[in-house]
Amino acid sequence: MAKKYRELAEQVVENIGGGGNVDQAWHCVTRLRFNLHDKEKVNIDTIKSIDGVLGAQFSGDQFQVIIGNTVSDVFEEVEPLVGGSGGAPEGKGQKQGALSAVMDFISGIFTPILPALAGAGLLKGFLALFVTVGWLKDTGDTYAVLNAIGDSVFYFMPFFLAVSAARKLKTNEYLALAVAGTLMYPTFMNAANGFTDAKSFTLFGADFISIPVLSYASSVVPIILGVILLKYVYNLVKKVIPSVISLMFSSMITLLIVMPLTLWVIGPLGTNLGNGLSDIFLWLFTHAGPVAGALMAGLMPLIIMTGMHYAFVPIAIQNLNLYGNDAVLQPMMFISNLGQAGSAFGVAVRTKNKALRQMAISAGISATIGITEPAMYGVNMKLKKPFVYALGSSAVLGAFAGWYGFKAFALGGLVGVFSLPVFADPSGASAAIIIAIILFVLSLLLPFILVLILGFEDIPEDGTTVKADSEPKQPIATDKQGSIQSPLEGTIVPLKDVSDATFAEEIMGKGIAIEPSVNRIVAPISGTIMVLADSKHAIGIKGDNGEEILIHIGIDTVSLKGENFKAHVATNDRIEAGQVLVEFDRDAIKEAGLEAVTMVIITNTADYLDVLPLNESGPIFEGEQLLTLVK
């Protein structure tokens, strides 16, 4: 098994441009995440086709490879290949957008501490559940000890975030811990808790430097801002201090600058910022609960796909710290994750494809636990309708949860069946856990029923597509039909909607058009290259079974005279299905004022009874069946 993970890791690293192209690498529950120096080196289509990879995508400027449950095993093999965090020469990095940089930073500092958060949060959830059902009293020594274990991670949150933020920012972890230690020092904590009479602290006898008394226990934003300040101050001090005495004095001077500023300005600013964000979401769920719940639960899979759910983790922690509960992240993710599981289980029951059934069962179980990527990418999105059913049912139940005020009382890590205890009210009231169980059942059941009743386009054993809500049609005999694969990934456009009348009126033959989302054309069949225009924008292929196919990249792109096109084959070359034929720059084509829509035409249409597109609209993937030729 280790060999399998090593081979997978090697293929991934090779196709992201090698270890030298990696600035930082880490993983979350299901994905390998990379910050790259040059994203143009990524062979995303090749990565998607690797056995063991569920999908790959750019989220902002972060590249994500979706692995599933075995991601930690794969990452163990990836890490030595990228040299820890990578090491390309200076100046090779690419500038990130502001939003991408923020999202990347947040996910980078919270992902490493998820095991601690999950373990401690789930323990607190079970304690609340045991109190609710009467198995444990919240006044005994056992409860006190177990609660201390579960609460410690959250109480000392600044220490955990100090380490992960320092690693993400590539600054000294122990100085970052010193910042957290100062924030949590008993002098300040005792004053904040009212154990002393101090109301503020004056520094250097300057009345205007008045450090307010605040508790930084369980806080998130202040320590993150403090470590950001530490990074820049420490780097500056090290440049100024002579190297001979740098070891002794750089750290001391850095702390003397960073800590007063943090206690005086940054800490209070971060506290107010965190409290403000929590207040906004509290107001939203209080005054527009059904709308907020429907949007949050219904769109959660799309939020997860982009990795933006990490932006809500600090808010969830802050809400737990301020109000003792979280109504934003975990309740809606709970409903959404189970919705994906319910759809996958529905597919498992409805499909006639044995391989798909096995995949759907496995993915459904994973989603029930809280890992949704196998269900989303491997089953529901692939079949389209089950994904829509999951989104719709989650939105409906999210609206109810927002109206009712469904809350989590601890942070539970993977949000699924094992996180049920975090919805138990620590006060012992039973209503909260009863509602959680009801929502658990309904979140699974509603999309499951929708899939069974409304059906979907099934994938039988032979790979063709038929409706799962009707009897399979009798296939035409194989010697009377042929299939053409899609030569690129994109969105299907009916030929009649193309702006060039030659294609729209089917003068050259029947076919289909595709608005590309990638920059390459692959062979849709095996055969021979009969025509390759000097401008590289048009390829004529003679298939092994007599098919004559024209692939025309863009409209009026002959005017570019081959600029932004690169051919990988020549006339009379033998080709195999899936082989790369031409690469092109669709953005450059559009910048030239031209359309990049690509036509796939059967130029010997007269030799067939009909040429039938498999679909008239929607997304199409490279290698997916595109046209059927009926003789």
Side-chain angles (χ1 to χ4, degrees):
M1 192 63 73
K3 181 180 178 181
K4 176 183 176 181
Y5 297 142
R6 183 164 57 252
E7 291 174 351
L8 174 55
E10 289 171 351
Q11 292 180 67
V12 169
V13 172
E14 178 185 353
N15 285 284
I16 60 174
N21 193 37
V22 178
D23 178 50
Q24 287 185 320
W26 70 102
H27 73 91
C28 59
V29 179
T30 56
R31 310 179 192 196
L32 300 172
R33 296 171 178 264
F34 300 97
N35 284 347
L36 304 174
H37 295 286
D38 185 356
K39 63 183 181 182
E40 295 300 325
K41 293 183 178 180
V42 175
N43 299 317
I44 190 167
D45 295 317
T46 303
I47 292 173
K48 287 180 179 179
S49 67
I50 296 173
D51 184 26
V53 172
L54 296 175
Q57 63 186 27
F58 278 97
S59 178
D61 292 306
Q62 181 189 109
F63 185 60
Q64 303 173 357
V65 181
I66 302 150
I67 301 296
N69 301 352
T70 59
V71 66
S72 59
D73 298 309
V74 176
F75 184 74
E76 287 183 7
E77 303 296 336
V78 167
E79 197 166 21
L81 298 177
V82 300
S85 60
E90 292 290 331
K92 294 286 184 181
Q94 294 181 336
K95 186 178 180 181
Q96 288 183 299
L99 180 60
S100 296
V102 170
M103 296 305 306
D104 172 64
F105 180 67
I106 292 174
S107 67
I109 63 176
F110 278 97
T111 298
I113 68 172
L114 281 180
L117 288 174
L122 197 57
L123 176 58
K124 286 176 66 68
F126 273 113
L127 285 176
L129 179 62
F130 293 161
V131 170
T132 300
V133 298
W135 294 351
L136 190 67
K137 293 187 179 296
D138 58 3
T139 55
D141 291 347
T142 300
Y143 179 90
V145 172
L146 295 178
N147 185 63
I149 297 171
D151 206 37
S152 63
V153 175
F154 299 95
Y155 185 83
F156 293 107
M157 182 66 66
F159 289 99
F160 292 88
L161 291 176
V163 174
S164 60
R167 288 179 178 175
K168 180 65 178 172
L169 292 166
K170 298 182 180 179
T171 192
N172 190 283
E173 297 170 18
Y174 298 99
L175 285 177
L177 284 169
V179 174
T182 305
L183 291 177
M184 297 289 292
Y185 197 71
T187 299
F188 305 116
M189 294 299 294
N190 288 342
N193 292 323
F195 299 148
T196 66
D197 295 330
K199 303 300 180 184
S200 64
F201 296 88
T202 301
L203 195 60
F204 305 129
D207 292 338
F208 68 91
I209 306 180
S210 179
I211 296 172
V213 171
L214 294 170
S215 173
Y216 292 103
S218 304
S219 64
V220 173
V221 182
I223 185 61
I224 293 174
L225 295 179
V227 175
I228 292 173
L229 176 64
L230 170 73
K231 171 187 171 64
Y232 291 103
V233 171
Y234 189 45
N235 289 347
L236 178 62
V237 170
K238 285 193 296 182
K239 289 181 180 179
V240 174
I241 299 295
S243 58
V244 177
I245 59 173
S246 178
L247 180 63
M248 294 181 292
F249 289 98
S250 291
S251 299
M252 181 189 73
I253 294 172
T254 297
L255 291 175
L256 285 174
I257 296 172
V258 170
M259 285 320 308
L261 285 174
T262 300
L263 291 168
W264 178 33
V265 179
I266 289 180
L269 176 64
T271 299
N272 291 332
L273 179 60
N275 291 348
L277 288 172
S278 294
D279 289 342
I280 289 172
F281 280 93
L282 176 64
W283 182 91
L284 189 61
F285 274 82
T286 300
H287 294 85
V291 176
L295 290 175
M296 193 73 175
L299 298 178
M300 184 57 70
L302 305 179
I303 295 172
I304 291 173
M305 286 167 61
T306 63
M308 289 184 67
H309 56 296
Y310 281 102
F312 293 95
V313 174
I315 296 170
I317 294 173
Q318 192 74 10
N319 286 342
L320 288 165
N321 183 32
L322 287 177
Y323 313 119
N325 58 69
D326 165 38
V328 178
L329 180 63
Q330 293 179 101
M332 303 309 154
M333 188 176 283
F334 178 75
I335 292 169
S336 174
N337 289 355
L338 293 168
Q340 294 296 325
S343 278
F345 286 136
V347 170
V349 172
R350 190 77 199 219
T351 185
K352 294 176 173 59
N353 185 320
K354 293 180 181 179
L356 179 59
R357 179 179 296 117
Q358 292 176 355
M359 180 186 295
I361 292 172
S362 174
I365 293 171
S366 293
T368 304
I369 294 170
I371 301 173
T372 56
E373 277 84 351
M376 282 200 305
Y377 291 97
V379 180
N380 298 336
M381 288 182 67
K382 186 175 183 179
L383 298 173
K384 302 179 181 67
K385 286 185 179 180
F387 186 66
V388 174
Y389 303 151
L391 296 185
S393 59
S394 296
V396 171
L397 293 174
F400 168 78
W403 168 80
Y404 176 81
F406 182 46
K407 300 178 179 69
F409 297 92
L411 202 63
L414 292 177
V415 186
V417 60
F418 295 121
S419 69
L420 268 170
V422 307
F423 299 103
D425 193 330
S427 69
S430 60
I433 192 64
I434 292 172
I435 290 295
I437 294 171
I438 291 172
L439 284 172
F440 174 83
V441 174
L442 290 178
S443 297
L444 282 170
L445 198 58
L446 281 185
F448 178 81
I449 293 173
L450 287 173
V451 170
L452 292 186
I453 294 175
L454 300 178
F456 54 90
E457 298 289 326
D458 200 3
I459 304 176
E461 302 290 349
D462 62 1
T464 58
T465 305
V466 298
K467 289 185 180 295
D469 55 357
S470 63
E471 289 299 317
K473 296 179 182 178
Q474 290 298 320
I476 302 172
T478 55
D479 61 344
K480 297 293 184 182
Q481 71 173 1
S483 63
I484 306 298
Q485 299 176 6
S486 176
L488 74 165
E489 180 179 329
T491 303
I492 293 175
V493 178
L495 207 55
K496 63 182 177 61
D497 294 340
V498 172
S499 61
D500 189 318
T502 302
F503 297 111
E505 296 175 11
E506 300 183 346
I507 294 173
M508 299 191 69
K510 292 186 176 183
I512 199 76
I514 300 172
E515 183 64 43
S517 59
V518 295
N519 290 333
R520 73 175 194 174
I521 299 291
V522 302
I525 54 173
S526 297
T528 304
I529 298 293
M530 303 303 295
V531 176
L532 179 63
D534 292 339
S535 54
K536 312 295 189 299
H537 77 290
I539 312 110
I541 303 171
K542 178 83 169 183
D544 290 342
N545 296 318
E547 313 97 322
E548 295 179 9
I549 303 172
L550 171 67
I551 302 174
H552 195 285
I553 306 168
I555 294 176
D556 294 330
T557 45
V558 65
S559 62
L560 296 176
K561 300 180 180 179
E563 187 176 353
N564 304 314
F565 290 84
K566 179 182 178 182
H568 290 268
V569 292
T571 304
N572 297 322
D573 279 0
R574 168 70 187 175
I575 58 170
E576 301 297 330
Q579 179 180 339
V580 178
L581 304 181
V582 173
E583 289 183 306
F584 60 98
D585 189 336
R586 65 186 190 283
D587 293 330
I589 292 173
K590 292 176 182 178
E591 288 173 5
L594 303 174
E595 296 180 52
V597 63
T598 297
M599 282 61 66
V600 182
I601 307 297
I602 307 302
T603 54
N604 62 334
T605 294
D607 294 344
Y608 299 92
L609 290 176
D610 209 347
V611 175
L612 302 173
L614 198 63
N615 291 296
E616 293 284 353
S617 62
I620 187 73
F621 299 95
E622 181 184 293
E624 189 175 352
Q625 186 177 351
L626 181 67
L627 298 170
T628 297
L629 310 182
V630 183
K631 286 189 175 181

